[in-house]
Amino acid sequence: MNLKSLLKDTAIYGLSSIVGRFLNYLLVPLYTYRIAAESGGYGIVTNLYAYTALFLALLTFGMETTLFRFSNKDGEDSAMVYGTSLRLVGGVALAFIALVLILLRPISAAMGYALHPEYIGCMAVIVAMDAFQAIMFSRLRQQRKALKFMCLKFAFIIPNILLNLFIFLLMPSLFGRMPELESLYVNMDYGVGLIFFVNLICTSLVFIGFSSELKGLRIGFDRKLAGRMLKYTWPLLILSLVGILNQVADKILFPFLMPGAEGKVQLGIYGACVKIAMIMSLLTQAFRYAYEPIVFNSSRDKNSPETLSEGMTYFVMFALLAFLAVMTYMPILKHFIQPGYWEGLGVIPIVMMAEIFMGVYFNLSFWYKLSDQTHWGAIISAIGASVMILVNVFFVPRIGYYACAWGGLAGYGTAMLLSYILGQKKYPIRYDLKTISIFTILAAAIFALSESIRKGFADISPILLMAIDTTFLLLFCAAIFLKLRKQLRK
């Protein structure tokens, strides 16, 4: 694998993903400082976006990966693969919108939003448009148009930030002159509901930049090709659903496991703190966007197993670096959320380790994707999701949102181990376990030493403590550089 090429694409995708989401993270302090923890308003945001993530996985039904796989298959027309994918996902998205709008009131009541069915209708339209756009974004990745990908991501991010700033900072100052605005603000749970409608507006704006990709609808629809693609993708649908359940089931189940106002308050605290831990998922996503096309494009080469092995090593090293960086600068990062939410900061290292496990599992998943044995992915992910859900069901009523963090760790850990064991039997890859183990032990030692100093010297200056932690972090960076210096020279 060309490490420089991977790093270049990861940097571009990272700019749209990591930097873009970081800009969106600037909304987290806005939300948490303007929406009091005890109001439970941020719990509503956390809950509904969890549903959105789940239904997005349902509506894309694995067609992103399927698009990559069939576009690089011998004898397949890449353009027809794209056109067929676009029509399949578009048709399902339209059917979803129609179904939700017809049954809007009973669905809203079942979800606990009988007083605000407009929230559910709005989110349904958003998730349908996101699913359709996901195929066009995948087309950009497949064609290695990383720059356009980045620009279109920012076409959503920047207006979204500006409109949210208007709602929570400027709009309240206009209430005296425009009482109808105040009435709207109050009726929408003091601005919480307006967050969803802003999302709808910004998602719609992105379609303007997809003018050339929308021409894919003219390509046509190949029924036989669609049949082959659906046969390949149905296990990926299950895989995607149970995979996303590992990420959002805790936030969906929480209001049912801990009902009432207290449940929304705790969910809001957990959701706010998890936003800090999500730095790890940003790294994973940026790496995936760059890495997945490389793997599928090289899948015909005899060096593909070597590519997978190298990719795993790179991911683990940089994921551990991200973990240590977040924990090192937690005294600064915690200010991204209002102090009323700080009681949940203890879940962050647990959630970040769960995200590392998820990233490793993603890297392991190529054995069944490249060998067309995607049913194994569905089985493994279903077992992992079951473990996570069981932990939540049994322990949320007892220990609250900490059960959500431990459930994610247990679920991803189970899936990761099962995928590795089965993969070595069905599609053996010689991973560099020695290097992975060395860097894992080194990161664990640094984290343990840092925590020991933090707890053993309670009166130590915060600045001195961060200086010590930064030194540890630089040592870890030096170890990565020494390991990769040969690849970087290529």
Side-chain angles (χ1 to χ4, degrees):
M1 180 192 299
N2 187 324
L3 178 58
K4 287 186 176 180
S5 175
L6 176 62
L7 290 176
K8 177 185 175 182
D9 282 1
T10 301
I12 295 176
Y13 288 124
L15 190 62
S16 61
S17 180
I18 296 177
V19 176
R21 284 202 183 181
F22 175 76
L23 291 174
N24 273 328
Y25 275 177
L26 297 180
L27 296 176
V28 176
L30 176 68
Y31 293 157
T32 59
Y33 279 86
R34 303 295 291 188
I35 305 170
E38 59 271 17
S39 72
Y42 197 68
I44 296 174
V45 176
T46 302
N47 181 242
L48 285 184
Y49 276 114
Y51 277 108
T52 300
L54 178 63
F55 281 102
L56 180 60
L58 178 65
L59 296 185
T60 53
F61 52 94
M63 287 304 292
E64 294 168 281
T65 299
T66 302
L67 172 65
F68 286 123
R69 180 59 175 158
F70 278 77
S71 293
N72 291 283
K73 266 192 171 185
D74 291 328
E76 299 289 3
D77 182 346
S78 176
M80 182 59 73
V81 169
Y82 170 62
T84 301
S85 302
L86 202 60
R87 290 196 177 203
L88 281 171
V89 173
V92 172
L94 287 173
F96 173 77
I97 292 175
L99 182 64
V100 171
L101 293 181
I102 291 170
L103 302 174
L104 183 58
R105 292 199 175 277
I107 290 174
S108 302
M111 293 173 63
Y113 296 96
L115 297 178
H116 289 287
E118 68 274 15
Y119 294 178
I120 308 305
C122 179
M123 297 306 285
V125 176
I126 289 171
V127 74
M129 291 197 298
D130 280 343
F132 190 67
Q133 290 180 4
I135 301 303
M136 294 187 284
F137 274 118
S138 293
R139 179 65 167 174
L140 294 178
R141 290 165 56 204
Q142 187 255 329
Q143 295 179 326
R144 304 290 293 274
K145 294 182 179 179
L147 190 59
K148 184 172 182 179
F149 180 100
M150 179 186 69
C151 291
L152 288 176
K153 287 293 183 180
F154 276 105
F156 170 86
I157 292 165
I158 294 174
N160 185 54
I161 292 172
L162 293 175
L163 288 173
N164 272 277
L165 290 173
F166 170 78
I167 290 169
F168 289 102
L169 296 182
L170 183 59
M171 185 184 286
S173 67
L174 301 175
F175 289 166
R177 288 173 290 174
M178 304 176 69
E180 62 276 10
L181 277 183
E182 182 175 8
S183 177
L184 175 65
Y185 186 84
V186 173
N187 291 335
M188 289 283 182
D189 286 313
Y190 294 90
V192 170
L194 294 175
I195 294 172
F196 311 129
F197 287 94
V198 162
N199 191 327
L200 177 61
I201 293 169
C202 297
T203 301
S204 302
L205 289 175
V206 176
F207 275 106
I208 298 172
F210 273 126
S211 56
S212 59
E213 282 69 32
L214 285 169
K215 293 177 182 177
L217 290 171
R218 302 177 186 172
I219 294 172
F221 182 82
D222 187 326
R223 290 187 178 183
K224 291 183 178 180
L225 172 62
R228 294 196 300 273
M229 294 175 73
L230 290 173
K231 182 179 179 180
Y232 177 86
T233 201
W234 77 260
L236 291 179
L237 166 60
I238 300 174
L239 170 62
S240 182
L241 283 176
V242 295
I244 205 69
L245 275 173
N246 271 310
Q247 299 179 50
V248 303
D250 52 354
K251 303 171 187 69
I252 292 173
L253 291 172
F254 202 92
F256 300 103
L257 297 172
M258 187 174 285
E262 178 60 22
K264 287 185 178 179
V265 171
Q266 284 209 25
L267 182 58
I269 292 171
Y270 175 68
C273 291
V274 163
K275 286 294 185 181
I276 298 176
M278 286 299 102
I279 291 174
M280 186 63 67
S281 72
L282 301 183
L283 173 66
T284 303
Q285 186 182 54
F287 189 87
R288 174 191 170 188
Y289 281 158
Y291 185 49
E292 197 169 40
I294 290 175
V295 171
F296 280 106
N297 289 340
S298 66
S299 61
R300 300 169 185 157
D301 300 337
K302 62 181 180 180
N303 294 324
S304 186
E306 181 183 345
T307 298
L308 294 172
S309 178
E310 290 179 355
M312 175 69 80
T313 304
Y314 299 153
F315 171 77
V316 171
M317 288 191 295
F318 288 107
L320 290 172
L321 175 62
F323 174 85
L324 292 175
V326 170
M327 298 315 300
T328 294
Y329 298 109
M330 186 56 64
I332 296 174
L333 292 175
K334 70 180 183 181
H335 290 283
F336 274 95
I337 57 177
Q338 197 261 351
Y341 294 81
W342 285 1
E343 66 178 74
L345 292 175
V347 303
I348 291 176
I350 306 170
V351 173
M352 291 192 72
M353 284 306 303
E355 290 291 334
I356 292 177
F357 285 177
M358 184 193 73
V360 171
Y361 174 49
F362 166 76
N363 282 276
L364 290 169
S365 70
F366 283 107
W367 72 261
Y368 55 76
K369 292 177 181 177
L370 292 174
S371 60
D372 292 344
Q373 300 182 67
T374 48
H375 61 281
W376 281 112
I379 294 170
I380 294 168
S381 293
I383 293 172
S386 298
V387 170
M388 184 273 298
I389 290 172
L390 286 173
V391 171
N392 275 265
V393 170
F394 281 111
F395 293 104
V396 163
R398 294 171 176 81
I399 61 174
Y401 52 75
Y402 270 86
C404 300
W406 286 113
L409 186 68
Y412 285 131
T414 300
M416 177 184 69
L417 291 173
L418 286 175
S419 185
Y420 176 76
I421 293 169
L422 286 171
Q424 291 306 298
K425 292 180 178 179
K426 298 182 177 295
Y427 195 93
I429 297 170
R430 295 185 63 182
Y431 293 107
D432 189 356
L433 297 181
K434 180 180 177 181
T435 298
I436 291 172
S437 298
I438 289 172
F439 277 90
T440 301
I441 293 171
L442 178 60
I446 289 175
F447 177 65
L449 182 58
S450 174
E451 288 297 296
S452 297
I453 295 173
R454 196 181 304 274
K455 294 177 181 178
F457 300 91
D459 57 344
I460 192 172
S461 166
I463 296 177
L464 177 58
L465 183 61
M466 287 186 62
I468 295 171
D469 286 341
T470 300
T471 302
F472 291 151
L473 189 64
L474 291 174
L475 289 173
F476 193 82
C477 290
I480 292 178
F481 176 77
L482 290 174
K483 178 63 183 177
L484 300 181
R485 58 183 174 179
K486 290 183 180 180
Q487 288 91 329
L488 290 169
R489 289 173 181 170
K490 292 181 181 179

